[in-house]
Amino acid sequence: MSRPVSGPASARSTILVVEDDSSIRTLLTSALGAAGYAVVAAITGQEAMFKAGDRRPDLIVMDVMLPDADGFDLTRQLRAQGLYTPVLFLTARTEVEDRIIGLSSGGDDYVTKPFHVQEVLLRIRAILRRAAAPAAPGRGRPPLRYADLVLDEDAHTVQRAGRPLKLSPTEFRLLACLMAQAERVLGKREILQEVWQYDFAGDTRIVDTYIKNLRRKIDANSSPMIHTIRGVGYCLRLTDSDSTETPRS
């Protein structure tokens, strides 16, 4: 049996639920309230934009298909306005490309419909835990390096062959995970635990989606560095043709 989602952190957090389906909205608001969260609800995209700016929630649970807007577009608008509130998408879209679009729009995670409330609560707890994590103590940590890829955790920058790359916070954590264990094959559940901090047998499709999105940025116009090990997971390594020099740190 899954552990109940509760604790002092939830009582300090406000969740904005954006969902036009009354039954789902009632289910989520009731479950979140019972878990100790303060809950604000919105039915339309316009209402969601207003409440996100006015109430400044700690997290937004966003239905993708709203009557007056697309949840992905709303998230882009929030980010454009400087609101970086974490967003958990609720979506009936299961295609990989749809998930990539959603996560590229600035979302932090997604749950596909139909869903179990306990899964939503666990995802919310994991996102809030990541958002509340204190910065690592001490400055001056050496950047992670592998071949022509450089990741500076203190400056939160990534470069490949001297070219700056713009990564989301989750993409940054994922790349850091791969670089810290370069040339080692990492299983999907291992990545899920380290990057997303799920403490349950979560859906590993989010790892696949983020890897595909990250690969587009890291490997664009360069030799492939992020490799799929079929049936196992992923590995950061040079191709055989580029393996003459593999500096790491």
Side-chain angles (χ1 to χ4, degrees):
M1 180 180 294
S2 301
R3 293 182 299 168
V5 178
S6 60
S10 63
R12 296 193 298 269
S13 301
T14 298
I15 310 296
L16 171 59
V17 175
V18 185
E19 172 62 69
D20 65 306
D21 186 304
S22 60
S23 60
I24 296 177
R25 188 173 63 253
T26 299
L27 175 65
L28 288 173
T29 55
S30 297
L32 288 166
Y37 296 100
V39 185
V40 179
I43 300 174
T44 66
Q46 183 177 5
E47 185 181 9
M49 291 296 293
F50 172 77
K51 289 187 175 179
D54 182 58
R55 300 296 296 271
R56 298 283 173 159
D58 297 288
L59 183 142
I60 301 172
V61 178
M62 178 86 72
D63 183 23
V64 172
M65 301 177 68
L66 296 167
D68 64 335
D70 181 290
F72 297 157
D73 290 337
L74 286 178
T75 303
R76 292 190 188 93
Q77 292 177 42
L78 289 171
R79 301 301 184 243
Q81 294 177 13
L83 293 176
Y84 293 95
T85 307
V87 174
L88 171 65
F89 288 120
L90 299 178
T91 176
R93 304 177 186 178
T94 58
E95 295 298 322
V96 171
E97 292 300 322
D98 288 324
R99 298 200 298 271
I100 288 176
I101 291 172
L103 297 173
S104 299
S105 71
D108 294 83
D109 205 342
Y110 66 88
V111 174
T112 55
K113 297 180 179 179
F115 56 81
H116 294 288
V117 172
Q118 186 71 7
E119 180 182 3
V120 174
L121 294 173
L122 286 166
R123 299 284 181 106
I124 287 172
R125 185 173 66 179
I127 294 171
L128 291 175
R129 186 167 59 233
R130 294 198 305 265
R139 288 282 177 175
R141 290 173 298 176
L144 293 171
R145 298 177 184 273
Y146 185 81
D148 60 354
L149 189 61
V150 182
L151 182 147
D152 189 324
E153 293 180 277
D154 288 335
H156 208 274
T157 59
V158 177
Q159 293 184 1
R160 180 158 193 198
R163 177 173 59 93
L165 302 176
K166 187 175 181 181
L167 304 183
S168 72
T170 302
E171 289 168 347
F172 189 91
R173 287 193 302 271
L174 175 57
L175 181 60
C177 173
L178 294 171
M179 290 184 69
Q181 303 176 76
E183 299 186 359
R184 174 174 175 262
V185 178
L186 300 177
K188 295 179 184 179
R189 295 197 181 280
E190 182 179 359
I191 295 172
L192 192 67
Q193 175 65 38
E194 185 164 339
V195 178
W196 281 267
Q197 300 175 13
Y198 291 167
D199 52 4
F200 74 112
D203 185 351
T204 59
R205 288 180 300 174
I206 191 170
V207 178
D208 301 327
T209 300
Y210 258 100
I211 285 286
K212 187 170 184 178
N213 209 34
L214 182 61
R215 183 181 279 141
R216 288 180 174 182
K217 298 180 179 182
I218 298 299
D219 292 343
N221 304 315
S222 301
S223 56
M225 192 175 285
I226 300 176
H227 300 275
T228 301
I229 311 303
R230 191 173 300 277
V232 182
Y234 298 98
C235 180
L236 184 80
R237 69 185 181 201
L238 295 171
T239 58
D240 292 340
S241 61
D242 296 327
S243 60
T244 57
E245 186 177 54
T246 59
R248 289 189 292 168
S249 62

